[in-house]
Amino acid sequence: VEALAEVLGSPGLLTWTADAPDGPPRSVFGRPMSLTLLRRYAARALIAHLSEAEATDGLPGYGWRHDLDDDSRKISALSTAYGLKATLLAGHDWRVSLPRLRAMLRRLELPDGGWSALTNSPLARPEVTAVVISALQDAGETEDYVRDHIGIIVDTLDRRVHGAEPARPYVLAASLIELSRLGVDDAVGRRFADNLIDLAFSADGAHAWPVEVRPRGLGGPTPSTAHTACAVTALAAWARRLDDLRLLEIALSGRTWLEQHADLALDDEWIRSERADGGEELLPVRHFTPAWVLRALMGTGGEPSAGLATRALHAVGSYYAHDVALWRWSGGGGTFPVWMTWDALAAVVSWTGARELV
């Protein structure tokens, strides 16, 4: 705990006031807060925002909105899945009804299968479906239901990999990260990992990934910190699952690029997708870059106290709002997206686990 406090250097994240042990951590120097307490505070804050308001299907729901401080937003499947995953990091809380959350996520599934990231969108997305199924598995969903929906993830991912829209490393990598802990066939995971490697290019002798991969003639690729970190995290996860040295070597090459060039600023992108009815939709995706970088470094055996890991950990802590025990997106007026708290917790958990192995 002391090592984490020393490296992070953020009392708001790692200390609490002795006179208010039941409240959120305060920005004062005091007793170091363990990772267990950090997860517990975040879970408590998220549970306070667990809502029964209108969901994206227009009916009363049970789950989380995308931005916790925006009452105009409806309960969505993706935010509910992230909220579920984040609260379960602290263990099951009696105030959270897992049966109701499972029923809510099932209800919000699209008629043709899978889940969308946008309200009233008919387009299932593989990275969204993967997160929802991963959360359902964590919440005790039946093996048959999870197994049946893995096929939907694979099918929708295949359509993205071989579709007409520009290839997005984030979509493939984010899906692969969740698939690594689901019961997908190893051969399928290896195939998608190879697809992800094909989207990389050489930058200063190391592997890097761009925001999107376009056909030749439309300009050379520009490496992206967020996309490279996400790809490295995904390849490292599958290298561990398959005990595959080749995947690990490519992940390590990506880590080398990050160590030399990483930009820890928050990032976003717009994903344009064509629908089956001939229309298209524009999906905004925001990336908590330092959290992805920290996970990439720790997932490939990086030194927890090394320069980039230390900077990434400090950056993750800098977005923590100690007064509400959640992470705040600094742009657009400062909102509290559920996924950002999940990303932060996943990153700090990976750093703490790596530290314990040193």
Side-chain angles (χ1 to χ4, degrees):
V1 173
E2 289 78 5
L4 183 57
E6 179 182 355
V7 172
L8 185 59
S10 174
L13 179 59
L14 293 172
T15 63
W16 63 333
T17 53
D19 58 344
D22 293 327
R26 300 291 179 178
S27 184
V28 296
F29 291 96
R31 181 160 42 145
M33 187 170 75
S34 68
L35 178 62
T36 298
L37 278 178
L38 176 63
R39 290 183 292 194
R40 188 175 300 166
Y41 279 128
R44 182 179 300 167
L46 287 170
I47 292 170
H49 289 277
L50 186 59
S51 174
E52 296 183 351
E54 183 179 337
T56 54
D57 61 358
L59 300 174
Y62 182 74
W64 284 273
R65 297 179 173 92
H66 181 276
D67 293 314
L68 296 173
D69 57 340
D70 186 353
D71 291 341
S72 68
R73 301 294 290 266
K74 297 180 180 180
I75 293 171
S76 72
L78 183 58
S79 293
T80 297
Y82 277 126
L84 178 56
K85 288 168 70 70
T87 55
L88 286 177
L89 280 178
H92 179 226
D93 190 293
W94 63 269
R95 292 168 294 180
V96 178
S97 172
L98 296 184
R100 289 187 68 187
L101 286 174
R102 293 196 300 267
M104 184 76 256
L105 291 173
R106 281 175 174 249
R107 194 183 92 193
L108 293 179
E109 184 176 5
L110 296 171
D112 293 332
W115 287 264
S116 169
L118 295 174
T119 303
N120 299 324
S121 170
L123 186 64
R125 299 203 58 87
E127 73 279 18
V128 174
T129 301
V131 170
V132 172
I133 291 299
S134 174
L136 281 170
Q137 177 175 269
D138 292 345
E141 187 55 84
T142 65
E143 293 183 4
D144 288 344
Y145 187 88
V146 172
R147 182 173 57 251
D148 290 345
H149 284 73
I150 289 174
I152 296 176
I153 302 172
V154 172
D155 289 343
T156 54
L157 197 57
D158 270 326
R159 287 198 292 271
R160 290 292 179 278
V161 170
H162 304 294
E165 66 183 66
R168 297 274 178 170
Y170 167 74
V171 173
L172 182 52
S175 302
L176 272 170
I177 290 170
E178 301 299 340
L179 284 172
S180 70
R181 54 190 304 275
L182 296 174
V184 68
D185 188 89
D186 285 351
V188 174
R190 189 184 300 276
R191 172 166 63 83
F192 283 136
D194 287 337
N195 291 149
L196 182 59
I197 293 169
D198 290 340
L199 299 181
F201 64 99
S202 179
D204 295 332
H207 283 77
W209 281 261
V211 173
E212 63 183 14
V213 178
R214 293 183 174 274
R216 292 183 180 180
L218 295 180
T222 300
S224 160
T225 297
H227 287 72
T228 298
C230 190
V232 168
T233 303
L235 292 177
W238 276 94
R240 290 191 296 272
R241 172 167 164 170
L242 300 175
D243 195 20
D244 190 308
L245 183 58
R246 180 182 67 93
L247 294 182
L248 178 59
E249 289 176 345
I250 296 172
L252 289 171
S253 177
R255 189 184 86 191
T256 296
W257 185 88
L258 290 172
E259 291 170 339
Q260 296 172 349
H261 303 287
D263 178 356
L264 298 178
L266 301 180
D267 197 8
D268 54 36
E269 64 176 300
W270 291 86
I271 299 178
R272 189 182 303 275
S273 299
E274 295 183 3
R275 299 197 304 262
D277 60 7
E280 65 176 22
E281 63 182 37
L282 198 59
L283 173 66
V285 179
R286 295 183 289 183
H287 301 296
F288 193 6
T289 307
W292 278 117
V293 169
L294 193 58
R295 289 181 69 181
L297 296 174
M298 299 304 97
T300 51
E303 168 55 50
S305 299
L308 180 57
T310 300
R311 289 194 291 116
L313 188 61
H314 275 280
V316 169
S318 70
Y319 295 98
Y320 183 74
H322 61 78
D323 55 332
V324 293
L326 296 167
W327 274 261
R328 175 189 285 118
W329 184 268
S330 60
T335 57
F336 296 91
V338 178
W339 60 263
M340 191 174 189
T341 289
W342 160 254
D343 279 356
L345 290 173
V348 176
V349 167
S350 71
W351 187 91
T352 306
R355 181 79 189 187
E356 291 173 351
L357 294 175
V358 173

